[in-house]
Amino acid sequence: CGGHGYSQSSGLPRMFAWATAAQTYEGENHVMWLQGARYLIKCVGNARQGKPFPSGLQYLTKWLSSSSSLSAPVIAAPADLDSFDCLLKAFEACSARLVKQADDHIRALLSKGTAQAVAWNQSNPWLIRASQAHADYLLLFHFVSVLENEMSPGLRSVLQREVVLYALWRIEQIAGSFLETGVLTSESIKTAHKKVVGLLTSLRPEAVGLVDAFGHNDKMLRSALGCRDGDVYRRLFEWAKKAPMNQKEVTDGYYKYLKPLMQSKL
């Protein structure tokens, strides 16, 4: 959009404000991540007592049941970054290893006599990363699951590239977690970056169709830039003419402030 995106007539400032508010409904975003982490740690504790993981966390069973699965790289060959199965395993392993790190940190503090609440607060950085990794895995899992539905070959091709793009983009964003937990190698991270650039180029012709697929109408968007007819500059000009400041050739502010200042003897 260039500079036009900063204008209220673009609709972007309003949409940005709505989207950002959703991250802070609890007053601070980390509070919600910690709520998710509390559930994860509780389920890990239950599993330690022989209780099964609930359906959304069953993937943790195979990763936490063997110490060997918590050390070896999951994707050793960069070419595996195109495989849904390998990407899912990578996100599973990263989440499981970060959940274990958080649980181990809390238990280590408790073994030293630290109070439960204090141990929890001192483990917040580990807990937040574990919660975020679990959310990343769930999003990717459900994204891949959608591809099992019936759809046209053209749509399937686009969505398959989107799935891989999302996974590799997240790997870029939290590369430190994948490296620290040993899930990926540095070469795999470098390959992921190159593949993201290639996928963006591949999906660029589909960008308009992907955005239009959300079905947002002009009334909802209230944007001079995002209208269906694409007549951006004519609409910007028409909207500008309706603005209160443009109803007079010279605004009242000139006579009230500027003209007296310009005619005064300073």
Side-chain angles (χ1 to χ4, degrees), residues 210-255:
L210 288 169
V211 173
D212 283 349
F214 285 98
H216 298 315
N217 57 42
D218 291 348
K219 184 178 180 180
M220 181 189 299
L221 292 176
R222 288 188 285 167
S223 171
L225 305 183
C227 287
R228 187 167 295 276
D229 60 13
D231 196 0
V232 173
Y233 291 101
R234 186 184 303 277
R235 184 169 285 98
L236 276 172
F237 183 65
E238 293 299 325
W239 285 24
K241 288 197 298 184
K242 295 176 183 177
M245 284 186 63
N246 295 328
Q247 299 310 302
K248 296 180 180 179
E249 188 123 355
V250 180
T251 64
D252 294 336
Y254 170 78
Y255 296 105

Side-chain angles (χ1 to χ4, degrees), residues 22-44:
Q23 301 181 41
T24 54
Y25 283 150
E26 294 285 346
E28 208 280 327
N29 181 243
H30 289 153
V31 174
M32 290 186 282
W33 287 120
L34 288 170
Q35 288 176 354
R38 190 176 296 279
Y39 174 69
L40 290 172
I41 298 302
K42 179 181 178 180
C43 290
V44 170

Side-chain angles (χ1 to χ4, degrees), residues 131-146:
S131 184
Q132 291 172 339
H134 175 62
D136 283 331
Y137 163 71
L138 284 182
L139 281 171
L140 182 61
F141 173 79
H142 289 293
F143 205 165
V144 171
S145 299
V146 168

Side-chain angles (χ1 to χ4, degrees), residues 6-244:
Y6 291 96
S7 168
Q8 286 289 350
S9 61
S10 73
L12 292 176
R14 174 180 51 82
M15 287 184 274
F16 178 77
W18 283 2
T20 356
Q23 301 181 41
T24 54
Y25 283 150
E26 294 285 346
E28 208 280 327
N29 181 243
H30 289 153
V31 174
M32 290 186 282
W33 287 120
L34 288 170
Q35 288 176 354
R38 190 176 296 279
Y39 174 69
L40 290 172
I41 298 302
K42 179 181 178 180
C43 290
V44 170
N46 290 340
R48 200 178 294 115
Q49 297 172 10
K51 299 178 182 179
F53 281 105
S55 58
L57 293 174
Q58 285 180 354
Y59 74 93
L60 291 175
T61 305
K62 63 181 178 181
W63 293 104
L64 299 180
S65 59
S66 170
S67 58
S68 61
S69 65
L70 291 169
S71 56
V74 176
I75 296 183
D80 291 338
L81 290 170
D82 291 322
S83 163
F84 291 164
D85 288 339
C86 289
L87 287 170
L88 277 171
K89 287 179 181 177
F91 277 76
E92 280 183 359
C94 185
S95 175
R97 294 176 188 184
L98 289 175
V99 168
K100 186 176 186 304
Q101 279 186 14
D103 184 60
D104 287 347
H105 192 268
I106 292 175
R107 293 175 67 194
L109 290 173
L110 292 175
S111 67
K112 296 177 183 177
T114 308
Q116 177 75 39
V118 176
W120 179 268
N121 288 336
Q122 291 182 357
S123 302
N124 277 3
W126 288 266
L127 292 164
I128 289 168
R129 287 207 305 163
S131 184
Q132 291 172 339
H134 175 62
D136 283 331
Y137 163 71
L138 284 182
L139 281 171
L140 182 61
F141 173 79
H142 289 293
F143 205 165
V144 171
S145 299
V146 168
L147 294 175
E148 297 176 1
N149 299 331
E150 290 187 13
M151 61 185 73
S152 66
L155 176 59
R156 185 177 300 279
S157 171
V158 172
L159 290 182
Q160 284 175 337
R161 282 176 284 163
E162 276 207 301
V163 169
V164 177
L165 175 61
Y166 167 74
L168 298 182
W169 170 73
R170 283 305 295 157
I171 286 173
E172 278 190 317
Q173 295 294 304
I174 55 172
S177 294
F178 282 97
L179 288 171
E180 179 189 334
T181 55
V183 174
L184 299 179
T185 63
S186 58
E187 286 303 313
S188 294
I189 300 293
K190 292 177 184 177
T191 302
H193 176 66
K194 293 177 183 177
K195 287 182 177 292
V196 165
V197 175
L199 285 165
L200 289 173
T201 303
S202 168
L203 286 167
R204 186 174 292 121
E206 316 293 344
V208 173
L210 288 169
V211 173
D212 283 349
F214 285 98
H216 298 315
N217 57 42
D218 291 348
K219 184 178 180 180
M220 181 189 299
L221 292 176
R222 288 188 285 167
S223 171
L225 305 183
C227 287
R228 187 167 295 276
D229 60 13
D231 196 0
V232 173
Y233 291 101
R234 186 184 303 277
R235 184 169 285 98
L236 276 172
F237 183 65
E238 293 299 325
W239 285 24
K241 288 197 298 184
K242 295 176 183 177

